[in-house]
Amino acid sequence: MSLAGALWFAVQDDLFSNGLCNNTSSPSISNTTQDKQPSISELISASETPSVLDELDDRFISQSLRLNRQCLRFIMDFIQARLKKDVFASSHSLTSTEANILATLSYYAQGALPSKITDRLGVDQTSAVEAVKTITKLLSDMSPDFITFPNSYNDRMGAAQAFKNLSGIPHVVGVLGYLHVKVNPPLGEELMYLNTLGYHSVMMQVIFDVDGNLLSLEQCCPGGTPEHTLWENSDIGRQFSIFQHGHTWVVGSRSLLGCGHVLTPVEAFRIKSNAALRFNKAHSQLYGRAQQVFGSLKSRFHCLRDIGSIQSAESVACTIKACCVLHNICKKFSVPLPWDFSIEPLHPPSEVVNIMAEQPFDYMEDTKDEMIEMFFNVTEDEGE
């Protein structure tokens, strides 16, 4: 994922300094050269302490947790290190802590905590439920460390080149989408949560890169909230508005028409050339990847398919963020998609409001027209 190098070395250092991985010393990132850093495989090597994980076979890990052993070991070591830092955390043995972490991961994967899972892990339902709350909050709080936007010029150019290689569209650093998670809304607020596919949900604004790594995550709101409202009021949207990320843009749906730095398809009535058609095809190729990314999230973490009754949108934000953190870790470890993977249907655009329509100069539309003329206005022979 973007900007991940320093983070993963820092996580390794954190694990070693907390004594959760075999090592005789605690290397410091600041005074140790990169070539002396332990590898990921060394980091997650099994300790001599009896482990609940060691007693689980690969089939259970794959089917019940939807992970692989290497990734799972990293996640468990990382969470244990963070729990050890929390002076207010309850004191538990290593075995019970591991069992509670596994129970939490099983809840994410299954969307429930069946007794056959907790019995196998040797934890009671009450402890498992409390563990889910604690670990979910911990992972959610770590989302700014694992979900990072390419802030440096070199990182932005690297991301833009990857998108250009795929689609031909220049200066794109991410795809902007909205993840909808089904819920039973608070009584009397049903209309606020009704999305454009006709079910009640909360929605989270997400930006991801060409490989499906999540780069930005914020704005958990009722599913009926207009997308342009979320973008204009988000931190990342404000950063783009002051050109903190340079002259780059994100790809978004047509409901974001006129939003600053959001590249939307050319509207049907404005298509005057084959160049515009080629651009729309390239745009669709990029924006359609949201189906894959959101589908992989819901296929790996079934809890995101239907969270159930909620008190507010904010009350479920931690669960969504925790799963998104784990998604990026799974990408890092190349964990295969579950066998029952299915793509997420695209939501029809919410109310299309061109927020710049009343202005005499539409920055995004003029810039888009210039870009299409420069990069997509090729001869028919060249296009073929």
Side-chain angles (χ1 to χ4, degrees):
M1 71 195 72
S2 184
L3 301 178
L7 168 63
W8 292 93
F9 281 128
V11 172
Q12 291 182 29
D13 183 63
D14 189 36
L15 295 178
F16 278 108
S17 64
N18 280 279
L20 289 173
C21 292
N22 293 331
N23 195 33
T24 56
S25 60
S26 299
S28 171
I29 298 298
S30 60
N31 58 16
T32 306
T33 59
Q34 181 170 322
D35 60 349
K36 292 182 180 179
Q37 290 295 333
S39 65
I40 289 290
S41 60
E42 292 172 329
L43 168 71
I44 60 177
S45 60
S47 73
E48 296 179 359
T49 306
S51 168
V52 177
L53 176 57
D54 294 335
E55 298 176 2
L56 303 179
D57 56 60
D58 290 340
R59 182 179 180 183
F60 177 88
I61 293 173
S62 175
Q63 294 186 354
S64 298
L65 305 179
R66 298 175 179 266
L67 301 169
N68 62 30
R69 188 175 296 274
Q70 186 185 38
C71 178
L72 181 56
R73 172 52 66 190
F74 178 88
I75 292 169
M76 292 182 66
D77 285 347
F78 171 71
I79 293 175
Q80 288 180 73
R82 291 298 174 183
L83 289 173
K84 190 173 181 181
K85 279 188 170 183
D86 187 355
V87 296
F88 298 105
S90 302
S91 177
H92 294 287
S93 67
L94 177 61
T95 300
S96 64
T97 299
E98 284 191 341
N100 283 329
I101 294 171
L102 289 167
T104 300
L105 296 175
S106 176
Y107 164 73
Y108 297 150
Q110 304 295 325
L113 273 173
S115 57
K116 66 177 183 179
I117 298 293
T118 53
D119 289 348
R120 178 162 185 178
L121 296 174
V123 295
D124 61 76
Q125 283 283 334
T126 301
S127 297
V129 169
E130 288 303 312
V132 169
K133 295 178 182 177
T134 299
I135 295 169
T136 297
K137 179 64 165 59
L138 180 150
L139 288 171
S140 174
D141 289 344
M142 292 305 299
S143 60
D145 297 315
F146 283 91
I147 301 172
T148 57
F149 201 81
N151 287 311
S152 74
Y153 175 82
N154 287 339
D155 284 319
R156 286 196 298 272
M157 291 304 98
Q161 188 60 52
F163 277 111
K164 188 173 187 296
N165 290 343
L166 178 65
S167 67
I169 304 178
H171 308 306
V172 172
V173 292
V175 176
L176 172 64
Y178 293 88
L179 173 66
H180 284 261
V181 178
K182 186 177 181 181
V183 298
N184 293 329
L187 187 63
E189 299 181 11
E190 291 83 0
L191 187 59
M192 291 175 55
Y193 287 82
L194 187 64
N195 64 37
T196 56
L197 279 181
Y199 66 89
H200 297 104
S201 68
V202 294
M203 59 192 296
M204 183 80 81
Q205 179 176 284
V206 177
I207 300 177
F208 56 88
D209 69 13
V210 73
D211 295 316
N213 298 299
L214 307 186
L215 307 176
S216 174
L217 186 70
E218 59 178 307
Q219 295 288 90
C220 188
C221 298
T225 308
E227 294 178 358
H228 65 85
T229 300
L230 269 67
W231 172 253
E232 293 299 324
N233 290 285
S234 66
D235 290 338
I236 192 70
R238 285 189 285 268
Q239 291 170 15
F240 270 94
S241 70
I242 60 173
F243 293 89
Q244 182 174 325
H245 301 292
H247 292 273
T248 60
W249 42 40
V250 292
V251 166
S253 74
R254 67 184 182 90
S255 64
L256 294 165
L257 177 65
C259 290
H261 294 267
V262 180
L263 195 59
T264 58
V266 179
E267 295 172 279
F269 73 90
R270 294 190 55 168
I271 296 177
K272 308 294 184 182
S273 65
N274 288 333
L277 290 173
R278 282 190 285 269
F279 167 78
N280 273 8
K281 182 178 180 180
H283 181 283
S284 178
Q285 180 185 18
L286 294 186
Y287 186 71
R289 297 176 81 85
Q291 294 179 280
Q292 299 284 332
V293 174
F294 295 157
S296 66
L297 274 163
K298 291 188 177 182
S299 296
R300 194 182 306 282
F301 307 111
H302 284 189
C303 66
L304 297 182
R305 293 182 171 181
D306 189 344
I307 285 185
S309 298
I310 64 169
Q311 299 299 316
S312 67
E314 293 76 13
S315 66
V316 297
C318 283
T319 300
I320 299 174
K321 289 181 179 179
C323 291
C324 288
V325 166
L326 295 175
H327 167 87
N328 273 7
I329 295 176
C330 288
K331 296 289 292 183
K332 181 69 176 180
F333 283 89
S334 301
V335 180
L337 289 171
W339 64 271
D340 59 349
F341 165 77
S342 61
I343 62 173
E344 177 77 355
L346 288 176
H347 285 244
S350 55
E351 179 186 3
V352 179
V353 179
N354 188 343
I355 62 174
M356 301 180 72
E358 297 180 358
Q359 300 183 15
F361 175 71
D362 189 327
Y363 166 77
M364 283 307 301
E365 287 304 305
D366 280 46
T367 302
K368 182 166 63 180
D369 290 343
E370 292 174 1
M371 182 270 292
I372 291 173
E373 177 69 22
M374 181 176 297
F375 290 92
F376 290 88
N377 190 22
V378 296
T379 65
E380 291 301 322
D381 289 339
E382 289 175 331
E384 294 172 0

